[in-house]
Amino acid sequence: MEETLATPSETPRVNYLNARYGLKSWLLTKDHKRIALLYLGGVSLFFLLGGIYAMLIRIELLTPKGDLFQSQTYNKVFTQHGIIMVFFFLIPAIPAVLGNFLVPIMIGAKDLAFPRINLLSWYIYMLGGILTIWALLSGGVDTGWTFYVPYSTNFSNTYVVLAGLGVFVSGFSSILTGLNFIVTIHTMRAPGMTWFRLPLFIWSHYATSLIMILGTPVIAITVLLVALERIAHIGIFDPRLGGDPVLFQHMFWFYSHPAVYIMILPSMGVISELIANFSRKNIFGYSFVAFSSIAIAVFGFLVWGHHMFVSSQSIYAGMIFSFLSFAVAIPSAVKVFNWSATLFRGSVSYDTPMLYGLGLIGLFLIGGMTGLFLAAIGLDVHVTDTYFVVAHFHYVMVGGTLMGYLGGLHYWWPKISGRMYPESWGRFAALIIFVGFNLTFFPQFVVGYMGMPRRYHAYPDIPIWQVLNVMSTAGATILGFGMLIPMVYLIWSMRYGRAASANPWALPGLEWRTSSPPPTENFTVTPVVTWEAYEFAPPEELKVIGKLEPRDRADYPPDYPAYTES
């Protein structure tokens, strides 16, 4: 019998992790899998730094009086938290780590289309991060992560230009990554891998890449113009020189609202994989879920004005943006309804990745529904610049991205490391993170609706406000503890975890058709795809050859390349 792909019993000793040794072999690698691990290290470092700033914010808000920081120091803390989390964790986390590792493998390619550009994108990302951290260590930034003018151009005495330069540089990393993904998906799919056989993870990254390429240059130019106006005093945003400060808001949010979908679309792709595969069912309405990713990418560029309902924007423009903001919820709702329909009567297994997937649905549902509050002009005027907005975007951006990132990391960890993590600890951590997240941010909806403004280090001594802030800080403590648990056991598993088979979840995707960890070239022989995405055959049609572990007896389609034993 023809042997097409690697088997659990013959996992090659040489894989991408041990093919070469030494620091140089990592820093000069062109292997997309190693570059993904380089990104994993960088993303984890920035997430830790951003989390420290978050805890400082919550400690300050335990009491109504500003007794930990002065107001200017507090401004720097929340600004630096936002810049690091948005530009150096939330945006690159899933595409740069999981996307880099999986896109070529899931379409049957040996690497991304431009391996050298892929490595360059990591160096650019790290350079942007180093410049930003240098700005923070030199004295910090106090403008808010949005760099709003005229404060950022005329009045702030902090390191706005240096921090803006860091964000400007890091934007090129996103552009190069998006370009690489689009070219790879178009030109390097394995024989038989048609567009409608692509995993939904690939569809979501394709849509995300479109946003990266089309939107990121806008924010890069916007931040550059802020720096030029600050240095050269050219009249772009300064009304004294003939500029328009509202122009900055239009340019900034034209990118920054689609950036929300750069964060959440890859996470939706991860959840589509988890829901289908841990329900052991073909995704309900595959084509609708796939095209909803494209629809979100398109609609995402049309709704930036809902961030500007309280600016000088006309009421007619506000009405149009309000309507479009409601419309963009439709493709997102398609995904949630189709995920729910997939779960219906599925053979659901509650492994750790699936718990994160279900958690994301819950958090995204709360974040999405409260987004409709902000799309309604009257309500938005009431809650603008309150903690209601903070809670909303944390549920969507942080909850959505974080749960998808952790779910995907656990799901593909056996493939990445070749080791299994302790399942009981994984489930415990997922529960702690979900509880901690809700306890942190749900009270902020209430206190925000009651009128507590964001970005203040002190607030009125109203008992219920302090109670809600204490709850939020307690939740942040639980969330921080929950985040440390996976970090510990995943690192532990790399040395002491049980060796993973090629297909530990018993699933039909291409990434499970190669060894764990994969060889440098991903596949010893280019696979030929003859099955549909998420095609699970009934038990009587199983075609599994050889003595395999029970969890390896997957529901493969009858024409799927079966495992063989040498």
Side-chain angles (χ1 to χ4, degrees):
M1 176 174 289
E2 180 183 0
E3 184 174 328
T4 56
L5 301 170
T7 76
S9 61
E10 55 170 334
T11 299
R13 294 181 180 179
V14 178
N15 55 65
Y16 81 98
L17 290 172
N18 61 19
R20 294 182 181 179
Y21 291 97
L23 183 62
K24 182 179 178 181
S25 71
W26 283 86
L27 295 180
L28 298 180
T29 184
K30 295 187 289 291
D31 184 352
H32 67 98
K33 299 179 290 299
R34 285 195 168 200
I35 294 171
L37 294 191
L38 293 176
Y39 267 115
L40 176 61
V43 162
S44 301
L45 174 65
F46 288 114
F47 179 70
L48 179 62
L49 184 58
I52 291 172
Y53 280 118
M55 287 307 301
L56 292 175
I57 293 170
R58 292 314 321 165
I59 292 171
E60 172 63 277
L61 295 175
L62 270 173
T63 58
K65 296 181 179 179
D67 43 16
L68 180 62
F69 300 121
Q70 295 181 345
S71 57
Q72 187 175 14
T73 305
Y74 182 76
N75 290 347
K76 293 179 181 179
V77 169
F78 74 71
T79 297
Q80 292 158 192
H81 164 70
I83 290 174
I84 291 171
M85 282 298 202
V86 170
F87 295 110
F88 297 100
F89 173 70
L90 294 173
I91 288 175
I94 298 179
V97 178
L98 299 179
N100 246 320
F101 192 96
L102 292 162
V103 165
I105 301 178
M106 294 179 85
I107 66 174
K110 293 184 181 297
D111 208 314
L112 288 172
F114 307 114
R116 289 181 175 85
I117 290 179
N118 194 25
L119 179 62
L120 176 64
S121 71
W122 177 75
Y123 276 106
I124 292 173
Y125 167 76
M126 293 304 297
L127 176 60
I130 290 169
L131 289 172
T132 304
I133 292 177
W134 183 17
L136 308 187
L137 296 178
S138 299
V141 190
D142 65 351
T143 62
W145 74 273
T146 55
F147 296 101
Y148 261 25
V149 300
Y151 185 67
S152 63
T153 52
N154 293 336
F155 302 106
S156 176
N157 294 318
T158 56
Y159 288 78
V160 178
V161 173
L162 188 56
L165 181 62
V167 173
F168 174 79
V169 169
S170 68
F172 287 92
S173 175
S174 292
I175 295 171
L176 295 178
T177 299
L179 172 67
N180 228 337
F181 285 172
I182 288 178
V183 175
T184 302
I185 294 169
H186 269 281
T187 64
M188 299 182 67
R189 302 191 307 275
M193 179 62 80
T194 63
W195 281 95
F196 291 100
R197 286 176 174 172
L198 288 173
L200 291 168
F201 181 85
I202 302 297
W203 275 100
S204 68
H205 275 74
Y206 186 83
T208 303
S209 300
L210 293 175
I211 303 175
M212 287 178 171
I213 290 178
L214 297 175
T216 307
V218 178
I219 188 64
I221 293 170
T222 305
V223 174
L224 181 63
L225 291 176
V226 169
L228 288 175
E229 181 156 312
R230 187 176 175 87
I231 296 170
H233 304 289
I234 54 179
I236 301 172
F237 306 125
D238 188 348
R240 296 176 303 176
L241 302 174
D244 183 3
V246 179
L247 174 62
F248 172 86
Q249 296 185 40
H250 280 289
M251 295 178 69
F252 181 87
W253 289 115
F254 181 79
Y255 163 80
S256 294
H257 190 82
V260 173
Y261 301 114
I262 295 178
M263 305 171 202
I264 193 65
L265 268 174
S267 190
M268 289 175 166
V270 172
I271 302 311
S272 295
E273 298 295 316
L274 300 183
I275 294 297
N277 289 323
F278 285 99
S279 300
R280 310 206 72 78
K281 282 178 63 181
N282 189 0
I283 198 81
F284 181 84
Y286 168 93
S287 59
F288 281 89
V289 179
F291 282 116
S292 68
S293 295
I294 306 299
I296 289 173
V298 173
F299 275 100
F301 281 105
L302 304 177
V303 298
W304 77 91
H306 72 227
H307 293 272
M308 302 168 60
F309 286 153
V310 295
S311 71
S312 59
Q313 176 175 265
S314 75
I315 187 64
Y316 302 105
M319 291 170 62
I320 293 172
F321 281 121
S322 177
F323 173 78
L324 291 172
S325 298
F326 279 96
V328 78
I330 295 173
S332 299
V334 166
K335 290 185 180 292
V336 174
F337 281 118
N338 285 34
W339 292 334
S340 303
T342 304
L343 290 169
F344 182 65
R345 292 186 176 178
S347 179
V348 181
S349 56
Y350 296 99
D351 294 286
T352 300
M354 186 61 160
L355 295 182
Y356 283 111
L358 296 174
L360 179 138
I361 294 176
L363 297 183
F364 183 73
L365 186 63
I366 295 172
M369 293 298 290
T370 54
L372 300 179
F373 284 61
L374 300 175
I377 298 177
L379 279 171
D380 183 82
V381 170
H382 172 63
V383 299
T384 290
D385 280 335
T386 69
Y387 266 88
F388 189 95
V389 177
V390 174
H392 159 71
F393 73 68
H394 276 83
Y395 264 91
V396 174
M397 292 162 52
V398 182
T401 303
L402 189 62
M403 299 299 275
Y405 178 62
L406 290 174
L409 197 61
H410 283 78
Y411 177 52
W412 285 294
W413 187 253
K415 188 60 56 179
I416 293 171
S417 67
R419 298 284 179 173
M420 300 298 296
Y421 54 85
E423 181 64 26
S424 57
W425 278 105
R427 294 179 181 179
F428 175 70
L431 177 63
I432 292 296
I433 290 171
F434 183 78
V435 171
F437 188 92
N438 282 285
L439 186 58
T440 301
F441 294 108
F442 199 85
Q444 295 178 17
F445 280 123
V446 181
V447 75
Y449 195 81
M450 294 173 69
M452 180 175 170
R454 60 193 289 199
R455 299 182 171 179
Y456 280 72
H457 77 306
Y459 52 91
D461 192 3
I462 301 173
I464 186 61
W465 283 22
Q466 184 173 6
V467 169
L468 291 168
N469 274 287
V470 169
M471 290 175 61
S472 189
T473 301
T477 305
I478 295 172
L479 179 61
F481 173 71
M483 290 301 305
L484 289 174
I485 299 174
M487 183 185 71
V488 171
Y489 67 67
L490 288 179
I491 294 175
W492 173 89
S493 72
M494 294 181 71
R495 183 173 180 86
Y496 301 105
R498 177 172 57 86
S501 66
N503 193 359
W505 305 115
L507 297 172
L510 259 187
E511 71 270 31
W512 307 112
R513 302 299 103 195
T514 186
S515 61
S516 298
T520 301
E521 65 278 7
N522 296 336
F523 301 96
T524 55
V525 177
T526 301
V528 177
V529 180
T530 58
W531 58 93
E532 303 302 319
Y534 316 107
E535 184 177 341
F536 294 96
E540 63 272 13
E541 296 181 8
L542 294 183
K543 183 181 180 183
V544 180
I545 301 173
K547 299 178 180 178
L548 303 178
E549 293 297 321
R551 295 197 69 173
D552 289 327
R553 294 196 176 104
D555 304 341
Y556 305 133
D559 59 347
Y560 198 91
Y563 282 136
T564 62
E565 290 198 352
S566 57

mmCIF file of all heavy atoms in Angstrom, residues 23 147 201 204 293 418 428 526:
data_model
loop_
_atom_site.group_PDB
_atom_site.id
_atom_site.type_symbol
_atom_site.label_atom_id
_atom_site.label_comp_id
_atom_site.label_asym_id
_atom_site.label_seq_id
_atom_site.Cartn_x
_atom_site.Cartn_y
_atom_site.Cartn_z
ATOM 1 N N LEU A 23 21.841 29.115 18.666
ATOM 2 C CA LEU A 23 21.088 30.357 18.579
ATOM 3 C C LEU A 23 20.997 30.860 17.147
ATOM 4 O O LEU A 23 19.950 31.349 16.705
ATOM 5 C CB LEU A 23 21.750 31.421 19.479
ATOM 6 C CG LEU A 23 21.046 32.769 19.572
ATOM 7 C CD1 LEU A 23 19.652 32.621 20.171
ATOM 8 C CD2 LEU A 23 21.878 33.744 20.410
ATOM 9 N N PHE A 147 -3.602 58.168 20.881
ATOM 10 C CA PHE A 147 -2.764 59.302 20.461
ATOM 11 C C PHE A 147 -3.612 60.495 19.981
ATOM 12 O O PHE A 147 -3.255 61.173 19.025
ATOM 13 C CB PHE A 147 -1.799 58.900 19.327
ATOM 14 C CG PHE A 147 -0.793 57.866 19.708
ATOM 15 C CD1 PHE A 147 -0.962 56.530 19.340
ATOM 16 C CD2 PHE A 147 0.342 58.206 20.439
ATOM 17 C CE1 PHE A 147 -0.024 55.571 19.690
ATOM 18 C CE2 PHE A 147 1.280 57.247 20.785
ATOM 19 C CZ PHE A 147 1.099 55.935 20.412
ATOM 20 N N PHE A 201 -10.265 27.999 9.585
ATOM 21 C CA PHE A 201 -9.122 28.723 10.126
ATOM 22 C C PHE A 201 -8.400 29.476 9.013
ATOM 23 O O PHE A 201 -7.956 30.618 9.195
ATOM 24 C CB PHE A 201 -8.176 27.732 10.806
ATOM 25 C CG PHE A 201 -6.957 28.340 11.438
ATOM 26 C CD1 PHE A 201 -7.010 28.848 12.722
ATOM 27 C CD2 PHE A 201 -5.752 28.382 10.752
ATOM 28 C CE1 PHE A 201 -5.883 29.408 13.316
ATOM 29 C CE2 PHE A 201 -4.619 28.933 11.332
ATOM 30 C CZ PHE A 201 -4.681 29.448 12.619
ATOM 31 N N SER A 204 -10.539 32.520 7.786
ATOM 32 C CA SER A 204 -10.476 33.658 8.706
ATOM 33 C C SER A 204 -9.153 34.392 8.576
ATOM 34 O O SER A 204 -9.105 35.630 8.654
ATOM 35 C CB SER A 204 -10.689 33.192 10.152
ATOM 36 O OG SER A 204 -9.603 32.392 10.600
ATOM 37 N N SER A 293 -16.711 35.598 7.213
ATOM 38 C CA SER A 293 -15.399 36.185 7.522
ATOM 39 C C SER A 293 -15.062 37.294 6.530
ATOM 40 O O SER A 293 -14.581 38.365 6.921
ATOM 41 C CB SER A 293 -14.311 35.101 7.485
ATOM 42 O OG SER A 293 -14.501 34.138 8.489
ATOM 43 N N GLY A 418 5.065 18.316 20.339
ATOM 44 C CA GLY A 418 5.201 16.871 20.373
ATOM 45 C C GLY A 418 4.891 16.277 21.730
ATOM 46 O O GLY A 418 5.140 15.096 21.962
ATOM 47 N N PHE A 428 -8.997 23.097 34.571
ATOM 48 C CA PHE A 428 -9.057 23.966 35.746
ATOM 49 C C PHE A 428 -8.684 25.405 35.378
ATOM 50 O O PHE A 428 -9.362 26.358 35.765
ATOM 51 C CB PHE A 428 -8.112 23.430 36.827
ATOM 52 C CG PHE A 428 -8.006 24.314 38.047
ATOM 53 C CD1 PHE A 428 -9.066 24.442 38.924
ATOM 54 C CD2 PHE A 428 -6.834 25.022 38.299
ATOM 55 C CE1 PHE A 428 -8.969 25.259 40.044
ATOM 56 C CE2 PHE A 428 -6.726 25.840 39.408
ATOM 57 C CZ PHE A 428 -7.798 25.958 40.287
ATOM 58 N N THR A 526 4.013 15.289 -0.737
ATOM 59 C CA THR A 526 2.925 16.252 -0.850
ATOM 60 C C THR A 526 1.587 15.529 -0.824
ATOM 61 O O THR A 526 1.337 14.630 -1.641
ATOM 62 C CB THR A 526 3.035 17.051 -2.161
ATOM 63 O OG1 THR A 526 4.290 17.731 -2.176
ATOM 64 C CG2 THR A 526 1.891 18.057 -2.276
#
